[in-house]
Amino acid sequence: MPDKLTLLICSHFLPEARVVVADEVFKNVEVIAYQADCDQPIKTLFNADGSPLKIKSNTILIGASCLQQFNSPIDKFTKNTIDLCFELLLSPEILQAYLDEGAHLFTPAMLENWQQVNEDWKFKEASDRNLFFSDSTAKLVLIDAGLDASAAIKMQQIADQLTLPWEIKTISLDRLRWQLLQQLSIWRQEQLSEKDKRLSDYAMINDLIRNLVTFLDEQKVIEKSMEIFHMFCATGNVCFLSIDEQANERFYPAQSFDNEAEIIQELKTLMTDYQLQSDSFQILIKREWRILGILAVKEVAFPQYINHYLNLARNIAPVIALAISNARIHQKQLISEQEIHSLNRELNNQLYSVNNLNQELETFTYSVSHDLRGPLRGLDGFSNILLRDYSQILDERGQNFLNRIRANAQRMGELIDDLLRLSRLTRAELIIQSVDLSVIAIELSENLQQAEPERQVNFTIDKDLTADGDVSLIKAALENLIGNSWKYTSKCEQANIHIGKQVKEEQIVFYIKDNGAGFDMDYADKLFAPFQRLHSANDYPGTGIGLATVQRIIQRHRGKIWAEAKPGEGACFYFSLGIKES
Amino acid sequence: MQKDILLVEDNQDDIDITMEVFDMLGIHQRVEIVRSGEEALKLLFDPQLSKTSHWSVILLDLNLPGINGTQVVEKLRHNPLTQTIPVVMLTSSNRDEDKQASYHEGVNSYVCKPVDFNQFVEIAKALKMYWTDINEAPYDHSGTIFK
């Protein structure tokens, strides 16, 4: 394999080209120049020193717009001619703008040439410029890469002589470097043996695989894939049609096409895994039978390798598919995270309104406690005063009525107090800890016994009835339940109250069992509703709030409460406490 | 020296019942009645009146038109003229928050008025015993001591 490349360039651009090629990347490249004469092209080529140019193999002719009309000498070279040599240094847009302004462009090397011409022709007057410059020449521009410090002075001298305005356009050599590199890489690609080429291809694919799967954005994956084919197949014409699960399409063109809709339509006609034409191919990007997109590569620079390109594309396709698939999953995850976020926000809003409602309830209970009790106090107070101060005027019946007014007022006061207690119990924060129900039950039973020492009640309280819960709430619940048993056994000759536990379906269930009045199970569903009573208040006084309170407490502990009973035979209340951890 | 009782209460029924109870208990001190916190402060902070009036206790309702009972206590406790007069909050509310706020501002006692008249009589009896019979305020309330 020949290891040296020769770039043949016009002497006007030689200093710039030499600087570029001095870089390590161009280590096997040499630059030689031919003697240029833009206005009077010569038929044979000479070295810069005037000796005949010896042509080597592996020589590429760069620029040389002046030589295009001469066939014989340059046919021997690989040609990379361009219409305007200054495109080596300037972008076509900038160059065109200068030409439109009527600028005449110089490189520093051209200035030296010009000085030689000047001496040879002995110019004296400004009008002599017409010999070399057209009338439309409006200004002189030095394209300066900063290689020749004296260039500006030379430029000024010439401009003064010709009485033309002048300016300096400072440039970097990136554009020239890029163009020469392109030549070098095309040449190297051609020099590689088939085996070496495959190796370099696989190195590239390896790199692609490594990078592609790290991108989490579908657009990025597709753009990177297209970039690889763009480089790999040496074509600017690569496009990708992405198709998602909902059959939404997104077209990624490498350049803007006027007939985009047509191209998309054509891509969608692809039914087989791939399709091959002389200088182009299309391939389906699939994962588990699902089509994720279609890749199209057209106008490849070396159609003789099209089979090779397609083969590689078929190898790469699954990786692209995997990367796209990953990116889509990631995208979905992002969306669901956002959804969770917005759901959370909604939940917070609702919590906020619940808190507001609680605040309202708080205000309401406050007005209940204050505003309803006030009038009752008046009712009871004035009835009392009437009874005391005017008893001689009122007969027994009248006094009885007044007493009943008082009893009603007091009962309503109790109802209000109980309601307030219920609402407070429901709202108070739970403080969960280990609670010994046996200890509480013993204490409660002793209190009851002390309050009515004349009653004969046989309490059986099992030991170690422990659970996790809020002590004060559980105590309130037991107070109600044991109090109920105490109350409803008041007519028994020998009252028995048993507090214990049993295990039902792997759950501990506590119970309070008595042999009291019991109730009809037909009404069991009314048992826990506020103000619902299954017995007359005359037989068993009470407000009807007690069991509603107990149920709230048990519910707040995520437990259940239920009862079994028979009229005249007693009742048994069961409850579980759902809270496990403290 | 006979000291007066100041009753701050906007509800006429409550005023009548309270007066009736005082009568029943044989409390014959003069009872000055005002119907709002503003009126109470005007009376208590009057430099002329403060020289001649001596209060054994202020019975203060919590829920009043205008400034409420706790605000009245706060102002009383920040004024040398009234700093040491015993104040009993007498109210329908049995909310913990109200009790805490009242004691925080410096009431001497917080009493929840019960619905049951007889219970109220018992409470009034205890209050009378403590605040008018037994208790002697630590300072003379004329204000001279702080001048």
Side-chain angles (χ1 to χ4, degrees), chain A residues 62-74:
Chain A
I62 305 287
S65 57
C66 61
L67 297 181
Q68 285 196 60
Q69 45 189 302
F70 305 101
N71 291 327
S72 55
I74 59 170

Side-chain angles (χ1 to χ4, degrees), chain B residues 15-86:
Chain B
I15 292 170
D16 290 348
I17 289 170
T18 308
M19 296 306 284
E20 190 72 28
V21 171
F22 282 1
D23 195 43
M24 277 172 67
L25 294 176
I27 297 172
H28 300 300
Q29 285 159 275
R30 193 176 74 83
V31 180
E32 181 80 40
I33 297 163
V34 292
R35 287 157 197 280
S36 74
E38 284 87 348
E39 262 183 80
L41 292 177
K42 197 177 157 194
L43 179 73
L44 291 162
F45 290 169
D46 188 306
Q48 287 306 312
L49 283 175
S50 70
K51 284 176 190 156
T52 53
S53 45
H54 305 280
W55 305 104
S56 62
V57 66
I58 298 169
L59 302 176
L60 183 60
D61 190 17
L62 184 65
N63 242 9
L64 288 164
I67 61 169
N68 67 25
T70 46
Q71 287 168 309
V72 173
V73 184
E74 187 195 354
K75 289 191 163 52
L76 292 181
R77 290 301 178 239
H78 283 94
N79 190 316
L81 288 177
T82 55
Q83 218 164 27
T84 54
I85 307 175

Side-chain angles (χ1 to χ4, degrees), chain A residues 374-407:
Chain A
L376 289 175
R377 218 165 37 241
L379 271 179
D380 192 60
F382 293 120
S383 309
N384 210 299
I385 295 164
L386 262 181
L387 274 173
R388 201 194 49 189
D389 295 353
Y390 299 88
S391 52
Q392 69 277 21
I393 306 172
L394 280 171
D395 62 2
E396 205 174 313
R397 197 154 173 262
Q399 290 184 23
N400 182 342
F401 286 149
L402 272 179
N403 273 325
R404 281 163 69 175
I405 289 173
R406 289 194 59 213

